[in-house]
Structure formats: C-alpha cells, structure tokens
Amino acid sequence: MEVIIRPDAARAVALVADLLEARLRRHPEQVLGLATGRTMEQVYAALVDSGVSFSHVTSFNLDEYIGLSPEDPRSYHHYMHEHLFSRIDIDPARAHVPQGDARDLAAAAADYERLIRRAGGIDVQLLGIGEAGHIGFNEPLSSLASRTRDKCLTPTTRAQNASMFGDDPEQVPERALTMGVGTILEARELILLATGSAKAAIVARAVEGPISAMVSASALQLHPNCKVIVDEAAATELQGREYYDFVFANEPDWAAYRD
Ligand code: GLP
C-alpha cells in the first residue's frame, strides 16, 4: 500500500484523475471499477475536462441502493449518468451499475460477478470510504471474502448519505446491492481517495489499524497494488506520515507531482 498526502482536496482529486487518465491513454480498453459519493464528483469532472476517450472502456460500479429505479434521481445509476456517462463517449451497454431494482437480487448479484469475469476482471478500481469504514457498501462485519450481494446499511451510512434524501436518514434505503470485499480485492489495482477531516479517523484505522471485518477498508492492506490518496485534512490521524512523505519525495513515479 502506498499512502500519498496532497496539500488540499483539489490536488488529491487532480492526482487521482491524472492516474486514471494516464491508464486510459496507455490502455484504452481499460476495465474500470467506479465509485459514487461526493468525493468522486470532482474526479469525474476532471476526467470529462481531460477529453480522454472512454469509447473502448468497460466499467463496473461498486453499488446501488435497493428499491430505486435507474431513473430515480437519488439512484447511483442517475448519479453516474449525470456526473460521467452522459458527458463522455462510453458505450452505455458497457457501463454497468448493479441492478438495485431487480426482482431477484441474488440472481442480479451473480450476474454482476459473471459480467466482471467475462470482461477479464477489473484493471483499476476507484474507491471512496464511508465514515463507518465501508468500501462500496460493505458495512462493518462484511466478510473480507464477500462477493456481490445485498447488504443492510448502518445508521451511520444512512445519516452520511441523507443529503440526497431531503436530509432525512429514514428516507435513505435500508439496503444496497454491492460488490463484495473479495470482489474488490480481485481488481488488479486499487485507488482509494478520501478528503476532509470527517474521514481522518477512519482513514487511519483503515490504513494503520488491524485488518478487521469491522473496517472493511482495512482489507486493502492485503492488496499488492493499492494507493490511498488523501488531503491534509484526512491525513491528520496517520501515525506513519513522515515515512509516507519520504516515499512520495523519493519515488521516481511521483517526480512530476512534487510541489
Ligand atoms: C457511499 C458509497 C461509497 C462511498 C461513500 C463515500 O456510501 N456507497 O462507495 O465511498 O459513499 O461518500 P462521500 O464521498 O460522499 O463521502
């Protein structure tokens, strides 16, 4: 795992967008794992602005609320359409989001896993982190070997995501269809982005704490190619910061990004 601390959110976002753009330019047939949430909005805006082509890309989103139709403005289908898919040249047939309104959720979950396998697996998976430590919607106690399935959301998550639901956590769906931690760990590269002081405590637990199903993001420690990119505000509780900064200052890969 590599932890990269940027001076502010704008530079953390710009770094993530740059890494993705570079991968797309090098291998236009990229299989991307995509995430939602406020943190990702600026990443998608930067990718749109870059003008990079998605015409050969296949994408798989992490999760979707159960019970919301793709047209529902609060759904992740809608979020992706608004922030990315309608603004790039991706083939809509290859832009996958879990089917939260499926009648048979277990079948929809199994289909999703099959589609990912058929695409050859995910090359790079973008991740945010919830305040309860989830990646996707893998809430505390999600098996670290879990696959795509339906999952009950915690009160913390429902409160955190209430802004799209009239600020009323009770209106946030109780369940979601999400890739599992095991599914996520099979991506060939992981990039987690977290910004803002509200994420500082959970970032430290995920990166430096014990690997535990209580913090599903801690499973990223098991991945051989994972970058955690944070801003100053999200980095304040990291103990190993001096070393992370030293690596950033010395790794040739990061030369272009040093200020
Ligand atoms: C939701 C998504 C997660 C995302 C999280 C962070 O819960 N299911 O995949 O990581 O939001 O959201 P934000 O970026 O708004 O803090």
Side-chain angles (χ1 to χ4, degrees), residues 77-87:
H77 277 83
H78 189 266
Y79 170 106
M80 289 309 299
H81 182 79
E82 286 295 295
H83 292 288
L84 192 64
F85 298 154
S86 65
R87 304 169 67 194

Side-chain angles (χ1 to χ4, degrees), residues 11-22:
R11 273 175 279 190
V13 163
L15 177 54
V16 171
D18 262 31
L19 293 176
L20 290 171
E21 184 190 340

Side-chain angles (χ1 to χ4, degrees), residues 5-256:
I5 303 160
R6 304 301 290 135
D8 50 41
R11 273 175 279 190
V13 163
L15 177 54
V16 171
D18 262 31
L19 293 176
L20 290 171
E21 184 190 340
R23 279 148 187 70
L24 287 167
R25 293 204 189 274
R26 215 176 314 129
H27 298 293
E29 296 193 348
Q30 212 56 224
V31 180
L32 292 183
L34 299 175
T36 51
R38 282 174 294 259
T39 316
M40 295 304 153
E41 291 176 12
Q42 301 310 312
V43 174
Y44 296 143
L47 279 172
V48 169
D49 287 348
S50 77
V52 70
S53 174
F54 284 72
S55 61
H56 297 287
V57 164
T58 301
S59 72
F60 290 94
N61 263 78
L62 285 166
D63 47 18
E64 178 58 288
Y65 291 111
I66 287 175
L68 299 190
S69 75
E71 295 75 38
D72 190 308
R74 303 160 305 176
S75 71
Y76 285 161
H77 277 83
H78 189 266
Y79 170 106
M80 289 309 299
H81 182 79
E82 286 295 295
H83 292 288
L84 192 64
F85 298 154
S86 65
R87 304 169 67 194
I88 55 173
D89 57 354
I90 197 165
D91 174 355
R94 285 211 299 263
H96 306 281
V97 180
Q99 211 194 327
D101 63 346
R103 225 182 269 159
D104 185 344
L105 290 168
D111 277 352
Y112 207 65
E113 290 276 337
R114 247 192 311 276
L115 280 172
I116 295 172
R117 268 199 306 277
R118 207 178 301 149
I122 293 172
D123 291 313
V124 49
Q125 174 69 58
L126 191 55
L127 296 165
I129 185 169
E131 284 166 40
H134 68 212
I135 44 176
F137 268 134
N138 291 286
E139 299 289 45
L141 291 183
S142 285
S143 159
L144 301 187
S146 51
R147 314 300 308 185
T148 303
R149 72 220 181 287
D150 53 311
K151 193 74 201 157
C152 197
L153 301 180
T154 61
T156 312
T157 296
R158 292 176 76 209
Q160 195 198 328
N161 291 4
S163 65
M164 283 303 292
F165 296 85
D167 284 325
D168 178 3
E170 288 294 310
Q171 299 302 313
V172 179
E174 284 156 8
R175 295 161 70 231
L177 195 58
T178 179
M179 274 189 209
V181 181
T183 320
I184 293 168
L185 289 180
E186 277 173 13
R188 286 179 272 280
E189 180 180 14
L190 303 178
I191 300 178
L192 184 139
L193 171 65
T195 57
S197 57
K199 300 286 172 74
I202 198 64
V203 164
R205 286 181 70 198
V207 170
E208 297 174 337
I211 296 174
S212 159
M214 283 303 289
V215 180
S216 61
S218 68
L220 303 189
Q221 295 174 37
L222 296 166
H223 197 281
N225 185 8
C226 174
K227 294 176 183 63
V228 172
I229 298 174
V230 295
D231 65 353
E232 276 293 339
T236 52
E237 299 200 26
L238 290 169
Q239 307 275 310
R241 140 140 235 186
E242 218 176 297
Y243 176 62
Y244 313 145
D245 286 344
F246 178 80
V247 173
F248 187 73
N250 289 284
E251 281 287 354
D253 279 1
W254 303 121

